[in-house]
Amino acid sequence: MFRIELDKCFEIPQLQIELIGHYSIDGNSKYRGDLSQLKYYVPPLDFNNVNYDLNENIASTKYKPNSYVKLDDVCKWILNNFTRVERLMSTEKDRWLNVDFVCRRGAFTTILSSPYVQYDCDWIICASKYRGTIYLCKFYTDAQERNHGNSMDKRGEAWGFKFEQYMVADHPSHQPDTSKPVNASEAFHCVFQANYGDHSLLYEAEIDGIVSQDYITDTLVGKQFEIIELKTIGFRQIEQLSAKFTPKKISDMWNQNSLAGVRRSIFGLREGKSSIVKSIQECSTDDLLNLSFAHFNVNHCKAFCKLFLDNVKKIVTKDHNECMYKFYRDTRNKNTIYYSEEAPDNDKYIFLKPQFIHEADKYK
């Protein structure tokens, strides 16, 4: 185990991100290296006068599989776009990628938000090292596995995707089409390369939609557009987004937005537990910090993440075929991270598939 002491982080790193690619996931959860699932933000004419029923066609919703999403699509993108991330003129003969870590945005957000975890937010992140790069994958804890997919989660998931249907279209000049049932498997992802102090990362981020007057058919890389985040939230009074959120909720939203360069979130406001969105309100990512009911310091997030990655680099020294590393956060001991070495073929946690290793070994 190791302890993370935030006051021992004397330099707070700045996150510098660059969009380097994208891909789509179709309705059958299949990877497609194209823009087929890219959506465009089409706001209503009057933000204060909408009537979006999030229960429309809810019985026909196609949900995502319950199993935790690993790194298969990210690894597929790497294999298909190796020249964008290969390490050139490396002094490390076995190093093949120009990044220290590969992960999903969700794992990165979990690490960043750790200083503001609640009592039920333990986490597990496993690490495997392949040719000099550490791959990180988040897994459910036993409690999360038991609770995942309960009726409230399912309803919230369906409502969130239905709200997106009301707000985005497949072309910037088209109107949103809400007649179709939601297929939660459909998704569009951007791939980012980031520098975080002396750490470099590659990660994906699922994107709700973009703002662009142009219909983009080839690539987002190098184009002018804005990524937006869509959320639906229930309030007793929906006139304005004035409710105060927990620091954990703000931490999750702020970190998630920052990792994808999102400058504003668009909220669909419901009355209490109602399924009807009555108004829309935009909120800049910076202004999210003012919505926490208790003190929130983003530098605590950055410091925790730096110290965690520092320790992971020191600990993860054996290759993927020797062992896998399991890092575990228990919120009863908030500043302590436990870790263990697991068998490389542990069925519960293995996430670097043999097929990926076989294909990647061809790039010498």
Side-chain angles (χ1 to χ4, degrees):
M1 70 178 184
F2 58 89
R3 288 185 59 79
I4 291 185
E5 299 178 42
L6 298 182
D7 58 354
K8 296 294 181 64
C9 185
F10 303 112
E11 181 180 353
I12 303 299
Q14 297 302 310
L15 180 70
Q16 299 174 311
I17 69 171
E18 177 187 3
L19 174 69
I20 61 172
H22 44 73
Y23 60 89
S24 297
I25 301 296
D26 68 18
N28 296 313
S29 300
K30 301 299 183 183
Y31 173 96
R32 298 182 64 177
D34 56 28
L35 299 172
S36 56
Q37 294 297 331
L38 176 63
K39 305 298 181 186
Y40 297 82
Y41 177 45
V42 183
L45 295 177
D46 185 353
F47 275 23
N48 295 314
N49 185 26
V50 299
N51 189 42
Y52 299 157
D53 185 2
L54 304 182
N55 275 334
E56 182 183 0
N57 291 327
I58 193 171
S60 301
T61 299
K62 181 179 179 181
Y63 295 96
K64 292 181 180 181
N66 277 343
S67 57
Y68 202 86
V69 178
K70 298 180 183 177
L71 292 184
D72 293 1
D73 52 350
V74 183
C75 291
K76 182 81 169 180
W77 184 90
I78 290 173
L79 291 175
N80 290 345
N81 299 274
F82 169 66
T83 56
R84 299 187 189 183
V85 289
E86 66 179 317
R87 189 175 181 88
L88 303 175
M89 305 296 293
S90 175
T91 57
E92 303 172 69
K93 65 178 182 178
D94 292 331
R95 185 76 176 266
W96 78 308
L97 296 184
N98 194 33
V99 291
D100 302 319
F101 297 95
V102 171
C103 62
R104 306 193 77 89
R105 178 176 58 170
F108 202 175
T109 301
T110 293
I111 298 166
L112 282 162
S113 298
S114 289
Y116 295 98
V117 293
Q118 297 167 319
Y119 68 93
D120 58 346
C121 290
D122 301 345
W123 51 250
I124 294 172
I125 293 177
C126 290
S128 282
K129 191 171 189 177
Y130 172 68
R131 294 176 69 179
T133 293
I134 298 171
Y135 294 74
L136 301 174
C137 186
K138 182 181 173 182
F139 287 85
Y140 292 128
T141 64
D142 290 342
Q144 291 164 346
E145 191 78 55
R146 289 191 298 270
N147 294 331
H148 179 66
N150 63 40
S151 58
M152 292 295 290
D153 282 344
K154 288 293 187 183
R155 189 185 70 171
E157 180 183 354
W159 281 4
F161 283 109
K162 194 65 185 181
F163 178 60
E164 292 176 20
Q165 264 195 353
Y166 278 103
M167 302 298 290
V168 297
D170 58 6
H171 192 286
S173 64
H174 294 174
Q175 288 300 306
D177 178 9
T178 63
S179 63
K180 300 185 301 181
V182 165
N183 186 336
S185 293
E186 296 177 345
F188 182 75
H189 298 254
C190 284
V191 180
F192 295 92
Q193 190 167 344
N195 290 320
Y196 191 66
D198 56 356
H199 302 301
S200 56
L201 301 95
L202 182 148
Y203 57 88
E204 59 68 53
E206 185 174 341
I207 301 301
D208 294 337
I210 66 169
V211 179
S212 172
Q213 293 182 342
D214 299 321
Y215 179 55
I216 302 172
T217 59
D218 49 0
T219 179
L220 292 183
V221 178
K223 300 292 174 60
Q224 293 295 318
F225 62 92
E226 178 191 356
I227 296 173
I228 52 96
E229 182 76 15
L230 297 168
K231 293 186 181 296
T232 175
I233 299 177
F235 292 117
R236 291 180 180 175
Q237 293 184 338
I238 63 174
E239 284 78 8
Q240 59 181 356
L241 189 65
S242 58
K244 296 298 183 179
F245 296 100
T246 65
K248 172 64 167 60
K249 182 68 173 177
I250 293 300
S251 178
D252 285 343
M253 289 193 293
W254 193 91
N255 287 316
Q256 184 182 51
N257 283 6
S258 298
L259 292 177
V262 176
R263 297 197 299 270
R264 57 176 167 156
S265 297
I266 292 88
F267 292 92
L269 306 185
R270 298 177 286 103
E271 291 190 48
K273 298 180 180 180
S274 166
S275 67
I276 308 297
V277 171
K278 290 292 189 178
S279 66
I280 307 296
Q281 186 161 340
E282 295 185 351
C283 182
S284 74
T285 296
D286 289 339
D287 285 344
L288 286 174
L289 302 179
N290 300 322
L291 299 180
S292 175
F293 71 74
H295 178 66
F296 169 72
N297 187 342
V298 71
N299 284 339
H300 290 168
C301 300
K302 295 177 179 179
F304 185 98
C305 186
K306 180 190 183 306
L307 295 173
F308 176 79
L309 294 178
D310 287 346
N311 279 280
V312 170
K313 266 188 180 177
K314 294 175 184 176
I315 293 167
V316 180
T317 57
K318 297 179 182 178
D319 283 340
H320 69 100
N321 55 349
E322 297 181 74
C323 80
M324 180 164 40
Y325 296 81
K326 174 185 172 184
F327 294 87
Y328 179 69
R329 171 77 180 274
D330 184 340
T331 50
R332 291 170 295 183
N333 298 291
K334 292 182 62 175
N335 296 323
T336 302
I337 307 294
Y338 302 90
Y339 68 91
S340 60
E341 294 186 7
E342 304 289 331
D345 57 351
N346 184 324
D347 288 339
K348 186 172 183 178
Y349 296 117
I350 190 169
F351 62 93
L352 279 188
K353 302 294 180 62
Q355 181 63 27
F356 168 70
I357 301 299
H358 174 74
E359 293 297 322
D361 279 343
K362 297 177 183 178
Y363 294 94
K364 296 295 185 181

